[in-house]
């Protein structure tokens, strides 16, 4: 019995898992979604609540289940883990969530060795590498949501700043999904027009101050939202949906997901985000994305930060 790409499993039905399934339901990306949570009642409640929207969407099967239900799932999304508390960094979470992954991943592998595994739990880069190591899946089939949300926040803020449709902006946040992330300004553009030129057209000339402010705002978005409402989940829910669309429809879309990098950009043996081609085989390949010397230096620093954490884990 092979896997089929129209069936997904969501492991972890907290705010992020539930918002993701809600978004996937509206977009009709899958025909079947099974929700799995350590708290079975929670999974059942979310499955029911989301299913009640189906008469306004497209027919599909959304139900709570258990690990054996993973057997034929083409896409397995993992959002299980402790949430980031106010004042806590994503890396503070690492010990707690690595322990959770040690119980989840072997269960997944027991029933399914052929799916695409998408990690959303934080710190996502570390947990993607943990999932890769514990699962024995091929490297292309395990990747994290990475900086897809940060890049969306980046585009949103640039769209506001420049008074232009954020979908016409091509700009990436790269590196760690966290405090060492980098705004890749050197390649940022609005429909092919370099970002600084577009800024000048809009009357902005103090590039250094503006770029610093916007990059900081992107980096601190999560902290601000957590402080104001306790958690962030709608933005990431949309990011998960976008990634799943690329996989299920084999879109070959370029998305800044967190994947295992060896020998590119002078990096080796670390999971972090760089723009990559994403399709039905997972991460097809990284693209030859141009970075300035400064950005490359920052990327290496980001990788070092992540490697130190990986080395401190007992795997």
């Amino acid at each position: 019995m092979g896997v089929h790409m129209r069936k997904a499993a969501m492991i972890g039905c907290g705010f992020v898992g539930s918002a993701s399934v809600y978004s996937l339901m509206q977009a009709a990306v899958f025909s079947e979604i099974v929700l799995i949570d350590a708290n079975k009642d929670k999974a059942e409640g979310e499955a029911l609540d989301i299913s009640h929207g189906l008469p306004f969407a497209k027919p599909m099967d959304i139900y709570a289940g258990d690990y054996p239900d993973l057997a034929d799932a083409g896409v397995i999304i993992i959002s299980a883990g402790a949430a980031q508390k106010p004042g806590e960094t994503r890396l503070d979470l690492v010990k707690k969530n690595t322990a959770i992954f040690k119980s989840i991943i072997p269960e997944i592998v027991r029933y399914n060795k052929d799916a695409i595994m998408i990690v959303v739990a934080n710190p996502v880069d570390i947990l993607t590498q943990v999932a890769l190591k514990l699962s024995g899946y091929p490297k292309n089939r395990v990747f994290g949501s990475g900086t897809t949300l940060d890049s969306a926040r980046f585009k949103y803020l640039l769209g506001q700043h420049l008074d232009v449709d954020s979908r016409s902006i091509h700009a990436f946040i790269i590196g760690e999904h966290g405090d060492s992330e980098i705004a890749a300004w050197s390649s940022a553009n609005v429909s092919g027009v370099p970002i600084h030129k577009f800024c000048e057209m809009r009357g902005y000339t103090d590039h250094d101050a503006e770029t610093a402010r916007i990059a900081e705002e992107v980096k601190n978005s999560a902290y601000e939202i957590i402080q104001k409402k306790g958690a962030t989940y709608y933005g990431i829910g949309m990011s998960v949906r976008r990634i799943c669309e690329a996989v299920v429809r084999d879109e070959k879309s370029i998305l800044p997901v967190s994947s295992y990098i060896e020998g590119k950009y002078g990096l080796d043996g670390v999971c972090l985000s760089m723009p990559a081609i994403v399709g039905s085989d997972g991460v097809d390949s990284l693209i030859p994305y141009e970075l300035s010397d400064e950005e490359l230096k920052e990327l290496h620093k980001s990788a070092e930060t992540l490697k130190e954490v990986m080395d401190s884990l007992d795997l």
Side-chain angles (χ1 to χ4, degrees):
M1 184 171 89
V3 303
H4 68 95
M5 290 309 274
R6 297 307 302 274
K7 176 174 176 177
M10 174 61 73
I11 301 175
C13 301
F15 282 129
V16 170
S18 306
S20 298
V21 174
Y22 180 52
S23 182
L24 288 165
M25 177 272 278
Q26 292 185 64
V29 180
F30 298 101
S31 53
E32 190 179 341
I33 307 179
V34 57
L35 279 64
I36 298 174
D37 196 280
N39 175 350
K40 189 77 190 274
D41 274 350
K42 173 77 167 133
E44 282 173 357
E46 293 294 354
L48 277 170
D49 194 6
I50 294 168
S51 295
H52 294 165
L54 286 172
F56 308 115
K58 301 270 194 304
M60 88 182 62
D61 220 4
I62 298 173
Y63 58 96
D66 222 320
Y67 288 105
D69 294 304
L70 295 178
D72 58 344
V75 178
I76 297 170
I77 306 157
I78 311 175
S79 76
Q84 194 173 349
K85 294 192 170 66
E88 192 174 38
T89 70
R90 293 186 181 94
L91 294 176
D92 289 338
L93 285 177
V94 71
K95 297 272 194 286
K96 282 186 225 173
N97 287 348
T98 299
I100 292 170
F101 269 48
K102 280 182 177 173
S103 66
I104 290 173
I105 305 290
E107 284 299 299
I108 294 175
V109 175
R110 207 169 125 195
Y111 296 102
N112 189 324
K113 294 182 174 64
D114 303 308
I116 301 275
M117 195 184 286
I118 302 171
V119 177
V120 188
N122 274 321
V124 70
D125 305 287
I126 301 293
L127 292 177
T128 298
Q129 198 156 350
V130 168
L132 184 61
K133 205 160 185 175
L134 296 176
S135 68
Y137 271 34
K139 294 182 180 71
N140 57 302
R141 285 203 276 113
V142 180
F143 60 94
S145 50
T147 53
T148 47
L149 174 56
D150 311 82
S151 297
R153 287 168 171 157
F154 193 27
K155 290 180 189 184
Y156 168 77
L157 289 169
L158 284 169
Q160 298 287 96
H161 181 60
L162 299 172
D163 197 23
V164 70
D165 183 350
S166 59
R167 294 171 304 176
S168 297
I169 296 170
H170 302 279
F172 290 108
I173 300 286
I174 57 170
E176 179 207 354
H177 169 57
D179 296 335
S180 73
E181 67 186 29
I182 301 109
W185 289 104
S186 66
S187 295
N189 67 83
V190 184
S191 293
V193 177
I195 205 91
H196 289 347
K197 272 197 166 162
F198 208 94
C199 284
E200 280 158 19
M201 181 188 103
R202 288 295 196 217
Y204 299 113
T205 49
D206 191 356
H207 297 318
D208 290 350
E210 295 299 340
T211 53
R213 178 184 64 79
I214 289 169
E216 272 307 298
E217 217 169 303
V218 172
K219 191 187 297 185
N220 295 325
S221 289
Y223 296 123
E224 185 187 354
I225 295 167
I226 289 167
Q227 191 191 346
K228 287 182 152 84
K229 61 170 267 191
T232 93
Y233 40 94
Y234 295 123
I236 187 64
M238 292 293 280
S239 304
V240 170
R241 164 181 151 183
R242 180 68 197 93
I243 294 165
C244 288
E245 283 172 345
V247 170
V248 172
R249 298 182 184 141
D250 193 23
E251 289 181 1
K252 303 281 198 271
S253 297
I254 293 172
L255 298 168
V257 293
S258 182
S259 66
Y260 190 75
I261 297 179
E262 33 189 358
K264 291 257 172 86
Y265 302 102
L267 300 174
D268 217 40
V270 67
C271 285
L272 51 68
S273 292
M274 288 303 293
I277 298 171
V278 179
S280 59
D281 290 331
V283 175
D284 183 323
S285 57
L286 296 182
I287 63 168
Y289 195 62
E290 289 282 326
L291 297 175
S292 69
D293 293 345
E294 184 54 35
E295 287 161 358
L296 193 60
K297 207 169 81 191
E298 292 291 318
L299 185 67
H300 279 253
K301 260 202 285 202
S302 193
E304 283 312 310
T305 305
L306 290 163
K307 272 188 162 164
E308 277 167 30
V309 178
M310 270 316 287
D311 292 345
S312 72
L313 295 179
D314 172 33
L315 284 174

